[in-house]
Amino acid sequence: MPVAASAIYFLNLRGDVLINRLYRDDVGGNMVDAFRTHIMQTKDLGTCPVRQIGGCSFLYMRISNVYIVTVVSSNANAACAFKFVVEAVALFKSYFGGAFDEDAIRNNFVLIYELLDEIMDFGYPQNLSPEILKLYITQEGVRSPFSTKAQDMRPPANATLQVTGAVGWRREGLVYKKNEVFLDIVESVNLLMSQKGNTLRCDVTGKILMKCFLSGMPDLKLGLNDKIGLEKEAQAKARPSRSGKTIELDDVTFHQCVNLTRFNTEKTVSFVPPDGEFELMKYRITEGINLPFRVLPSIKELGRTRMEVNVKVKSLFGAKMFALGVVVKVPVPKHTAKANFQVTAGRAKYNAALDALVWKVRKFPGGQTELTMSAEVELISTMVEKKPWTRPPIQMEFQVPMFTASGLRVRFLKVSLYLTSLLFKGLTLQLVLYTFAVCKANYREMEQVWEKSGYSTVEWVRYITRAGSYEIRC
Amino acid sequence: MNADNRKGELAELKAQLRQLAGSRAPGVEELKRELYKKVINYLTVGIDVSSLFSEMVMCSATSDLVLKKMCYLYVGNYARGHPDLALLTINFLQKDCQDDDPMIRGLALRSLCSLRVKNLVEYLVGPLQRGLKDNNGYVRSVAALGVLKLYHIAPSSCTENEFPVTLKALLLHDSDPQVVANCLYSLLEIWSMEGNSSEAALREKESLLSRNVILSLLNRFKDFSEWAQCLVLELVSKYVPEDAQETHDMMDLLDDRLQHANSAVVLATIKVFLHLTMSMAEVHQKVYERIKAPLLTLVSSGIAELSYAVLSHLHLLVLRAPVLFASDYKHFYCRYSDPSYVKKLKLEMLTAVANESNTYDIVTELSEYAANVDVTIARESIRAVGKIALQQYDVNAIVDRLLQFLEMEKDYVTAETLVLVKDLLRKYPQWSHDCIAVVGGVSSKSITEPKAKSALIWMLGEYAYDMNDAPYVLEGFVQNWAEEDFPEVRLELLTAVAKCFFKRPPETLKILGSALSYGLADANQDVHDRALLYYRLLQHSVEIAERVISPPKQAVSVFAGDQSIEIKDRIFDEFNSLSVVYRQPSYMFLDKDQRSPFTFSEDTGSSVLGPQSPEREDLASDYDTRDNELLLGAHEKEESRAVSNGSHGFSAPKSQTSQHDPFAPRSASPTQTAQPARATAASPQATVSSSAASPLLAVDDLLGLGPSIPAEPAPPVPQLKLNAKPVLDPASFKRKWGQLTVALTVEYTFPAEALHGLTGPQPLVRHMQANSVQCMASGNAPLKFFFFAQLSDAAPNSGFFLVELVVTTSSGLASAKIKADEASMAPAFADSLRSALSKFGP
């Protein structure tokens, strides 16, 4: 059974309806009330995102300060329904330009209704691609871009799909003065470390984000230093692969623009990119991860009213690099009165709202640098026997530019262009325009002009590693 | 905003709209937009703006697309409740359906189909037919779903105009993938609803799974949008390939879908893989290997709700292939920031994948969660440790954990641990020494939860030999009898004191006395009765009392699983749907009758629709599912009864308190227990006779009740002799019901006084049982029964009569459908059935 949503509601945190779109008659009009009384006003809120009330299933998600509730009466596909909402929100964001929250919805509710009308019909998902939708859902109020005059029967939205084959995510005829490609490799390190300093769990989820401003229908090829790709290449060239670090990717998923058949046979990532910003691929790695930081905590409870906290953080990345926005949160009991700090760098203070000591270091140098924060915490002595304090883990936030915890690197990014001339209609001429070498500095510009075609591209590559859930038990 | 105020605003809006309707002044569109926005805003927050209908329609003559859309939205919302006004819109919608701009054609057609007014169906057919032939894909795709909408309003009009046939042709030949997808959506829905009444439609539905349809869809698979791919994959998962080669080809083709960024596509592909290879054990295993990585990636998608949906599926798979994920257990470690529903599922995963090699790590990790701030999760993790402990044999490690838990000195941790220890002891009595040592240190004052208290008291009674101070601890509990709020604890206390008495009489005698006197004075009926029972038993003979209250126990080897294999398989069949999330097959939660409190409040709409509203169709299909449910329900009830029956043997008094105890042993052969189980339903006395072997009978005697064997009225002498105790299990009943045709229909009207007794199904069930007609299943509202009876001289599994009886309580009319193995006997049976019904009275 596909989704077959009966209705979609957007509610704010108080339960006021922001958007209410009924797709089918098989649920009642007072579904919102059912949701409010049976889920929002009970303790169950947030205990389970799928609930059944009176024969209908409510699938709800909270996104910033909005609940999006999908009501289904059939045995719907839950994963699909959630994914649909996630994608829809992404679509709305691309329309509003950023935030998706109550205010944005209130300001754009007509647009949202319009979009909901297009992306779902009678409860079944339709086209959600922002690229295509933006062609005919504008708030301009003019008739669709495909003109209204009878003699001018230009292909309408969906026909674009047919004309360009499977390239439903890119429209034709784009022209940029300066052709640019931005590529960001963004990794999140997830770590769970035991009290004794053993790594219980560690993985990296990474994504490659791209921003393309390219004319025409370019064909891109991306080479990474992942194991399978390199081996394949070595085979093809009949020579041993170069020494150097190779990465084993546990799993990869690609944007729909990536030619998966070619990935499976040739192990190269090749694609015709959508225009603008998109997420090219996501990957997951569990082996051979370079942790950017090591945290050595020591927390002593001295009697009932005092605690001694000592946290040592050591950077493990290269000496030329540095981490930005390092935040270490050390949880302390609720009845903390105050804390006196001593830090070797940065600033630390007690945050009562978080029940934590928050130590911030704006710029953390690399190369085995060790910084420490020590604090004496005074607790309010209470008459009532407090329940023993369960120590939540220490959490850490950071960003390390030009560092990838997995060691993943871009080896090349080739941009070639399909040139379709009128004379050789149907023939595709592929021009390899540019081969890109691994970039060493942050945002180094590389430019080369293909003399004859007049098509030049500028490519930018950037790496960054962030903390996902970086937790150290103490 | 108060009502008057609102009325004023509406009137103002109305006036403004009216003013703008005819105006052609520049900038008027802008003004209209603002007004429309206001109207839509009111509509959203639930203010009734239907009074503006005619003004809205008047203003809709515009070329402004946004305005048009708002107007369509408005019309779609109110047309159903105001069919007369909806007629006003037909004109402009029809005009728009012929617009030059395909966008407008599509939009208008969609709105036209969304009016949901039965009277207007005639205006719909023409535009739909044109729409399906439109040269623009967008319009065609709108029309394809429009057909489905039409079907929901007027099924006959949809089929008469042969729309399904047209859709089928489009499905195979249209050039636009979205059109194909929408055709498929429509056809699937139309034919499965139509299929309830027509064989032809069923065949049509089957034909969607034919080779050429599937191949034509797969051949252009990559053209489909991600959502359409999900749909096609869902269809493909039901397809049975011709040979292994075809299976492999399909899997090769779809393999790259596992790398797709859209999690829905990935899950749908997984379903296809699993179902395609069901019959190929070796490949099936390989499929598990293949899907592991993508699944684990989906779990860490970062969107909690999605992770939840995926984890539910993963859980189902893990139960089917626990070994597979055993090495990946670290993926299921909880993050501090995970929402509790994700954590809960992860805990279940950890429990499921635990095996000898990873138990230590997993239990260590779970112990960390026991200290979690979130109490529910802490409890769940202790239970998880318990479940793992029950699978494993490493007593030392577990006892260490238990000690660790108890040392934490948190009430809820202690409470959960006690329950855990009790279950451990029931399975591994040989651990008693270690466990008792642990429990001995627990201060009874720190325990407040009834479950934990019961567990502790049970252990005190059971292991009175090993625990030196058992009588004294029990004494403490007895002294606080009056403060004990929970009857379950008091019941347990009675039993424990009695057991303790048998083991250590001199120390316990006094306590037993006071416990019994408290018990006899107890306000709770169960407690009172048990105290009385013990008292009389003890009076009669201490030995017999000991045999009854404290018989030697055998360890429980298998704890009752929560779900039967059959149900799990059905859930697996419904992979990638809510069934997996709810852990119930869909027929269990898709009962539309339950939805009655939330049905449409707009009565006007349904009255217009008349008796042939689209819901009628659903009802027909519902009946079927509900019947199935009844039957299955009976099956399960029987099982649960069998369970409680079986436990008599090992702990008779306990079984009375353990209705909610999931750890009762499961009976080995359901067929054997089926009979006494049914007897239980027949009459309480029958229980006694059927379980004569159990000590309960002796107890009955002791109480001086005498062997009260049924004083039932002797079955009336019917024209045919029926077996008094026929045996038929629900599955065979269902099969028979499916195979046989209706031999006879009998109608009978209950007299009014008999109806008074018919407040629920039970009275009639008992009455019919007295007449040798057994009940297989019954349901309330509407009162409905499945009965069966068997000829007394028939060979096993033959000579059955099956009856479906529906009673309309308002009129007292009962109509029965009789199916018989031997159709010739049906009239005779019908007579006896009628006479049996006529004897029913309050």
Side-chain angles (χ1 to χ4, degrees):
Chain A
M1 211 3 134
V3 175
S6 300
I8 291 184
Y9 300 105
F10 292 24
L11 305 176
N12 69 7
L13 296 184
R14 282 195 326 198
D16 301 336
V17 184
L18 303 174
I19 296 284
N20 136 20
R21 183 71 175 87
L22 268 175
Y23 286 107
R24 287 175 173 240
D25 287 337
D26 55 357
V27 297
N30 42 11
M31 279 291 135
V32 179
D33 289 336
F35 179 76
R36 273 194 290 245
T37 48
H38 293 272
I39 298 177
M40 280 189 89
Q41 292 165 3
T42 62
K43 278 187 291 181
D44 291 346
L45 186 70
T47 53
C48 181
V50 184
R51 274 290 306 280
Q52 198 188 20
I53 305 166
C56 288
S57 296
F58 289 73
L59 298 100
Y60 63 98
M61 291 182 94
R62 181 174 164 175
I63 292 163
S64 78
N65 53 1
V66 179
Y67 285 105
I68 301 186
V69 188
T70 314
V71 186
V72 294
S73 68
S74 56
N75 187 18
N77 178 341
C80 194
F82 282 130
K83 185 67 188 175
F84 176 82
V85 173
V86 171
E87 293 283 303
V89 169
L91 174 70
F92 297 147
K93 277 186 183 161
S94 80
Y95 266 96
F96 311 156
F100 176 85
D101 53 25
E102 189 180 341
D103 288 340
I105 294 172
R106 284 193 192 278
N107 293 334
N108 293 288
F109 75 96
V110 175
L111 175 68
I112 293 179
Y113 273 122
E114 243 183 276
L115 286 170
L116 282 176
D117 215 32
E118 286 301 325
I119 61 179
M120 191 169 253
D121 196 358
F122 209 52
Y124 292 125
Q126 305 285 307
N127 191 359
L128 254 84
S129 154
E131 281 304 303
I132 300 298
L133 285 168
K134 276 184 182 162
L135 291 180
Y136 59 95
I137 309 254
T138 53
Q139 278 276 291
E140 296 303 306
V142 288
R143 297 212 146 192
S144 64
F146 319 107
S147 158
T148 56
K149 288 170 214 109
Q151 70 269 28
D152 186 14
M153 286 298 284
R154 291 257 318 273
N158 276 37
T160 330
L161 293 172
Q162 297 160 32
V163 173
T164 53
V167 191
W169 52 87
R170 187 180 180 89
R171 93 190 110 115
E172 279 190 329
L174 289 166
V175 180
Y176 286 98
K177 254 188 204 160
K178 190 177 177 190
N179 290 302
E180 282 181 300
V181 184
F182 297 84
L183 191 145
D184 281 305
I185 294 194
V186 182
E187 295 197 336
S188 318
V189 202
N190 300 308
L191 172 78
L192 182 59
M193 199 169 258
S194 74
Q195 278 140 307
K196 292 167 194 143
N198 300 326
T199 307
L200 294 173
R201 173 193 167 163
C202 179
D203 61 59
V204 167
T205 52
K207 49 188 170 185
I208 300 188
L209 302 174
M210 290 197 81
K211 226 187 276 178
C212 291
F213 303 108
L214 296 168
S215 312
M217 277 283 169
D219 190 28
L220 272 70
K221 235 184 222 179
L222 174 71
L224 300 167
N225 62 336
D226 68 301
K227 201 172 166 191
I228 312 168
L230 283 177
E231 272 170 12
K232 194 80 188 177
E233 203 170 275
Q235 272 171 21
K237 289 175 186 159
R239 65 179 159 94
S241 63
R242 277 171 299 155
S243 57
K245 196 169 171 171
T246 58
I247 310 297
E248 206 173 332
L249 302 174
D250 279 22
D251 191 42
V252 204
T253 56
F254 294 105
H255 185 269
Q256 54 165 336
C257 70
V258 174
N259 187 331
L260 292 173
T261 327
R262 231 152 112 195
F263 176 75
N264 282 343
T265 51
E266 297 163 33
K267 298 293 168 200
T268 51
V269 183
S270 66
F271 54 100
V272 178
D275 194 39
E277 229 176 307
F278 68 103
E279 190 180 279
L280 176 68
M281 64 183 265
K282 281 200 279 199
Y283 55 89
R284 186 167 56 81
I285 295 171
T286 45
E287 296 298 324
I289 293 165
N290 309 311
L291 288 177
F293 288 103
R294 183 150 190 94
V295 181
L296 303 160
S298 107
I299 296 179
K300 285 186 205 132
E301 287 177 61
L302 307 168
R304 286 174 58 176
T305 56
R306 270 187 49 206
M307 262 172 60
E308 215 177 75
V309 176
N310 201 312
V311 179
K312 203 185 282 176
V313 179
K314 193 173 171 185
S315 64
L316 303 174
F317 45 84
K320 285 180 187 161
M321 290 185 267
F322 50 86
L324 296 173
V326 178
V327 180
V328 183
K329 288 183 201 154
V330 186
V332 287
K334 271 208 177 333
H335 54 286
T336 299
K338 63 171 187 171
N340 299 316
F341 295 96
Q342 277 194 320
V343 286
T344 52
R347 271 198 288 183
K349 62 179 180 203
Y350 164 59
N351 185 328
L354 295 174
D355 289 320
L357 309 178
V358 180
W359 174 30
K360 290 182 183 167
V361 181
R362 199 169 296 153
K363 197 166 169 181
F364 200 119
Q368 310 283 322
T369 311
E370 225 176 67
L371 299 180
T372 53
M373 181 267 283
S374 48
E376 272 186 36
V377 180
E378 283 175 33
L379 307 175
I380 301 163
S381 68
T382 43
M383 295 308 287
V384 202
E385 181 66 32
K386 280 276 169 191
K387 284 183 182 168
W389 176 53
T390 54
R391 292 177 178 175
I394 293 180
Q395 288 178 305
M396 202 173 164
E397 292 165 19
F398 53 79
Q399 295 189 7
V400 192
M402 297 324 288
F403 172 79
T404 50
S406 64
L408 194 77
R409 282 280 181 266
V410 172
R411 289 172 43 245
F412 59 82
L413 178 66
K414 291 176 190 162
V415 182
S416 41
L417 183 68
Y418 289 114
L419 281 183
T420 356
S421 90
L422 284 169
L423 287 171
F424 301 103
K425 199 167 186 179
L427 275 183
T428 313
L429 196 64
Q430 202 176 37
L431 292 174
V432 177
L433 289 172
Y434 183 70
T435 308
F436 182 76
V438 179
C439 173
K440 288 204 182 86
N442 188 14
Y443 262 21
R444 179 184 292 169
E445 183 179 333
M446 297 210 147
E447 191 169 357
Q448 189 177 333
V449 180
W450 188 258
E451 289 163 31
K452 281 170 192 165
S453 74
Y455 191 95
S456 69
T457 46
V458 188
E459 288 120 358
W460 309 82
V461 176
R462 188 160 62 156
Y463 301 97
I464 194 162
T465 293
R466 293 191 182 130
S469 76
Y470 210 78
E471 297 175 352
I472 298 98
R473 290 188 179 144
C474 53
Chain B
M1 182 173 22
N2 60 44
D4 283 346
N5 207 337
R6 192 182 302 157
K7 225 176 231 168
E9 272 193 39
L10 282 185
E12 198 177 315
L13 265 175
K14 201 168 182 154
Q16 284 175 318
L17 279 168
R18 211 173 264 272
Q19 212 175 7
L20 291 178
S23 167
R24 294 240 170 253
V28 72
E29 305 282 280
E30 280 303 310
L31 285 171
K32 274 192 197 172
R33 258 204 213 191
E34 283 312 308
L35 290 179
Y36 270 38
K37 267 190 191 173
K38 249 187 208 164
V39 174
I40 300 291
N41 200 6
Y42 284 161
L43 185 148
T44 303
V45 295
I47 299 170
D48 183 10
V49 282
S50 58
S51 55
L52 301 173
F53 204 105
S54 41
E55 282 75 19
M56 288 291 283
V57 176
M58 267 154 62
C59 279
S60 59
T62 173
S63 55
D64 185 306
L65 199 61
V66 179
L67 261 184
K68 257 190 199 310
K69 284 182 181 168
M70 284 198 264
C71 187
Y72 292 153
L73 180 73
Y74 175 87
V75 169
N77 250 291
Y78 285 114
R80 195 168 183 255
H82 304 267
D84 44 335
L85 289 170
L87 192 63
L88 295 174
T89 62
I90 290 288
N91 194 17
F92 85 87
L93 282 176
Q94 274 191 323
K95 210 173 97 222
D96 281 351
C97 280
Q98 317 226 11
D99 199 280
D100 294 334
D101 186 340
M103 270 307 291
I104 296 201
R105 288 205 300 276
L107 279 173
L109 186 59
R110 186 190 294 153
S111 307
L112 196 60
C113 296
S114 306
L115 291 180
R116 301 165 297 184
V117 179
K118 194 162 164 61
N119 302 351
L120 305 181
V121 162
E122 50 182 310
Y123 302 102
L124 228 145
V125 176
L128 261 183
Q129 272 164 342
R130 274 196 302 280
L132 287 172
K133 290 193 199 98
D134 202 287
N135 60 3
N136 184 281
Y138 180 73
V139 183
R140 285 199 306 278
S141 66
V142 169
L145 277 180
V147 171
L148 179 60
K149 292 177 193 168
L150 172 67
Y151 181 81
H152 277 270
I153 312 165
S156 55
S157 152
C158 177
T159 40
E160 274 159 25
N161 287 293
E162 306 215 307
F163 280 124
V165 182
T166 323
L167 287 189
K168 181 96 189 262
L170 284 178
L171 173 72
L172 293 175
H173 304 297
D174 201 279
S175 54
D176 188 309
Q178 192 60 48
V179 177
V180 176
N182 285 359
C183 286
L184 190 53
Y185 281 128
S186 294
L187 285 176
L188 277 175
E189 214 176 309
I190 291 178
W191 278 332
S192 34
M193 283 163 78
E194 193 70 359
N196 294 323
S197 53
S198 128
E199 287 287 319
L202 269 187
R203 271 199 300 282
E204 286 290 359
K205 196 186 167 197
E206 286 299 310
S207 78
L208 286 180
L209 285 172
S210 67
R211 189 152 186 270
N212 68 334
V213 175
I214 296 284
L215 288 191
S216 92
L217 291 173
L218 283 180
N219 277 338
R220 52 190 308 190
F221 188 72
K222 288 180 186 160
D223 302 346
F224 289 118
S225 75
E226 1 180 20
W227 312 101
Q229 288 187 4
C230 293
L231 170 72
V232 173
L233 286 170
E234 179 67 31
L235 186 75
V236 171
S237 74
K238 297 195 185 89
Y239 172 67
V240 184
E242 288 195 331
D243 50 33
Q245 187 54 44
E246 199 178 17
T247 308
H248 283 294
D249 288 348
M250 283 167 73
M251 284 168 63
D252 280 346
L253 177 73
L254 298 175
D255 190 67
D256 58 27
R257 293 299 112 182
L258 292 174
Q259 239 100 49
H260 202 284
N262 188 320
S263 49
V265 174
V266 178
L267 266 183
T269 313
I270 288 174
K271 177 172 185 179
V272 172
F273 278 29
L274 288 173
H275 283 215
L276 279 183
T277 57
M278 275 304 261
S279 53
M280 309 151 86
E282 208 169 298
V283 189
H284 199 63
Q285 278 310 311
K286 277 192 197 137
V287 166
Y288 277 120
E289 290 285 343
R290 176 70 186 89
I291 62 178
K292 199 164 83 170
L295 271 173
L296 292 174
T297 305
L298 290 185
V299 171
S300 47
S301 66
I303 299 157
E305 288 85 355
L306 255 180
S307 302
Y308 174 75
V310 175
L311 274 171
S312 308
H313 287 84
L314 206 53
H315 184 252
L316 181 73
L317 295 178
V318 163
L319 291 180
R320 292 175 77 91
V323 192
L324 193 69
F325 293 90
S327 53
D328 298 289
Y329 60 93
K330 286 193 175 171
H331 281 281
F332 308 128
Y333 282 6
C334 299
R335 289 186 191 166
Y336 191 70
S337 50
D338 281 337
S340 59
Y341 50 85
V342 170
K343 281 187 183 154
K344 200 164 165 245
L345 271 176
K346 283 188 172 173
L347 289 181
E348 288 180 25
M349 291 301 224
L350 285 174
T351 323
V353 299
N355 65 9
E356 255 131 60
S357 61
N358 59 22
T359 298
Y360 183 80
D361 285 351
I362 291 181
V363 173
T364 312
E365 183 66 15
L366 286 173
S367 310
E368 286 285 343
Y369 305 148
N372 200 303
V373 198
D374 184 344
V375 177
T376 4
I377 293 305
R379 282 173 184 278
E380 290 286 343
S381 20
I382 297 170
R383 274 176 226 159
V385 172
K387 278 187 202 149
I388 294 176
L390 290 173
Q391 295 160 10
Q392 305 297 324
Y393 301 91
D394 186 2
V395 54
N396 290 327
I398 300 294
V399 171
D400 284 354
R401 298 296 163 204
L402 297 177
L403 274 171
Q404 201 180 324
F405 289 155
L406 293 176
E407 269 167 14
M408 286 165 60
E409 289 182 351
K410 283 193 210 175
D411 295 351
Y412 57 90
V413 175
T414 315
E416 285 297 334
T417 311
L418 282 174
V419 178
L420 161 66
V421 172
K422 183 199 74 180
D423 290 334
L424 272 180
L425 283 176
R426 288 182 56 205
K427 184 161 181 185
Y428 304 113
Q430 69 271 25
W431 294 0
S432 62
H433 199 71
D434 304 274
C435 291
I436 291 306
V438 176
V439 174
V442 177
S443 145
S444 56
K445 290 189 184 62
S446 66
I447 311 162
T448 48
E449 286 168 47
K451 258 189 145 173
K453 249 188 194 170
S454 304
L456 179 65
I457 293 173
W458 181 85
M459 284 186 276
L460 287 169
E462 199 61 43
Y463 295 95
Y465 283 130
D466 303 314
M467 296 162 96
N468 284 333
D469 54 351
Y472 310 105
V473 179
L474 284 174
E475 186 174 13
F477 279 113
V478 172
Q479 274 164 4
N480 289 327
W481 188 280
E483 280 110 70
E484 186 51 67
D485 296 329
F486 298 94
E488 55 193 289
V489 178
R490 300 201 295 267
L491 280 172
E492 197 60 66
L493 188 53
L494 265 177
T495 310
V497 172
K499 281 196 257 183
C500 187
F501 168 73
F502 300 125
K503 287 170 182 133
R504 299 163 69 170
E507 292 159 285
T508 325
L509 186 63
K510 218 179 102 209
I511 310 168
L512 181 65
S514 51
L516 283 175
S517 66
Y518 278 127
L520 286 170
D522 202 284
N524 184 292
Q525 193 65 42
D526 285 343
V527 180
H528 171 80
D529 287 357
R530 189 178 288 188
L532 191 66
L533 170 72
Y534 285 1
Y535 179 67
R536 294 197 179 154
L537 263 175
L538 288 163
Q539 243 183 352
H540 179 79
S541 149
V542 174
E543 279 84 58
I544 292 182
E546 184 172 6
R547 271 205 343 254
V548 173
I549 299 172
S550 185
K553 286 194 178 33
Q554 3 164 287
V556 183
S557 56
V558 184
F559 285 87
D562 42 359
Q563 266 171 342
S564 71
I565 305 268
E566 188 196 345
I567 288 186
K568 278 186 188 148
D569 279 349
R570 280 187 85 142
I571 298 176
F572 184 69
D573 286 343
E574 293 173 334
F575 193 83
N576 207 8
S577 73
L578 282 174
S579 311
V580 181
V581 177
Y582 291 143
R583 298 188 191 170
Q584 281 176 346
S586 57
Y587 66 83
M588 283 188 171
F589 60 88
L590 284 187
D591 188 349
K592 295 197 177 169
D593 276 7
Q594 288 170 7
R595 208 185 311 147
S596 45
F598 306 111
T599 40
F600 246 92
S601 45
E602 298 162 31
D603 296 323
T604 36
S606 53
S607 66
V608 171
L609 282 175
Q612 280 197 323
S613 64
E615 282 96 333
R616 300 300 311 167
E617 250 59 33
D618 305 41
L619 274 181
S621 70
D622 267 13
Y623 260 94
D624 263 7
T625 32
R626 215 133 37 83
D627 288 356
N628 274 338
E629 198 178 326
L630 277 181
L631 289 175
L632 246 124
H635 183 60
E636 273 154 14
K637 261 181 247 155
E638 207 166 79
E639 243 174 31
S640 67
R641 258 186 239 138
V643 164
S644 60
N645 245 15
S647 62
H648 277 308
F650 101 100
S651 161
K654 178 97 177 66
S655 72
Q656 291 173 27
T657 50
S658 64
Q659 293 97 337
H660 52 84
D661 185 352
F663 296 106
R666 164 169 287 211
S667 84
S669 77
T671 43
Q672 272 180 0
T673 48
Q675 182 141 0
R678 211 170 289 119
T680 319
S683 65
Q685 290 95 332
T687 326
V688 177
S689 61
S690 66
S691 56
S694 90
L696 271 179
L697 181 65
V699 176
D700 262 349
D701 280 336
L702 272 170
L703 287 169
L705 293 174
S708 53
I709 296 304
E712 286 166 8
V717 192
Q719 287 88 331
L720 77 169
K721 271 218 167 284
L722 291 175
N723 185 351
K725 289 255 153 63
V727 179
L728 187 66
D729 61 297
S732 340
F733 183 95
K734 239 168 87 181
R735 206 174 47 244
K736 267 190 197 296
W737 187 260
Q739 285 163 352
L740 298 171
T741 52
V742 178
L744 257 183
T745 26
V746 178
E747 293 212 338
Y748 170 78
T749 312
F750 282 107
E753 62 270 21
L755 266 183
H756 291 309
L758 209 55
T759 46
Q762 276 316 310
L764 189 62
V765 168
R766 274 198 290 277
H767 172 75
M768 294 308 282
Q769 244 147 9
N771 288 293
S772 302
V773 178
Q774 307 298 322
C775 180
M776 176 54 66
S778 61
N780 225 338
L783 221 40
K784 182 166 183 177
F785 305 85
F786 282 104
F787 289 117
F788 67 97
Q790 192 183 21
L791 286 170
S792 60
D793 48 355
N797 215 14
S798 71
F800 275 106
F801 299 99
L802 310 184
V803 186
E804 182 199 69
L805 183 78
V806 182
V807 182
T808 321
T809 30
S810 52
S811 60
L813 184 75
S815 60
K817 282 186 197 147
I818 301 174
K819 299 188 180 186
D821 278 338
E822 287 166 64
S824 59
M825 297 298 282
F829 176 73
D831 287 342
S832 68
L833 183 73
R834 202 177 282 131
S835 75
L837 286 175
S838 68
K839 287 195 201 87
F840 179 73

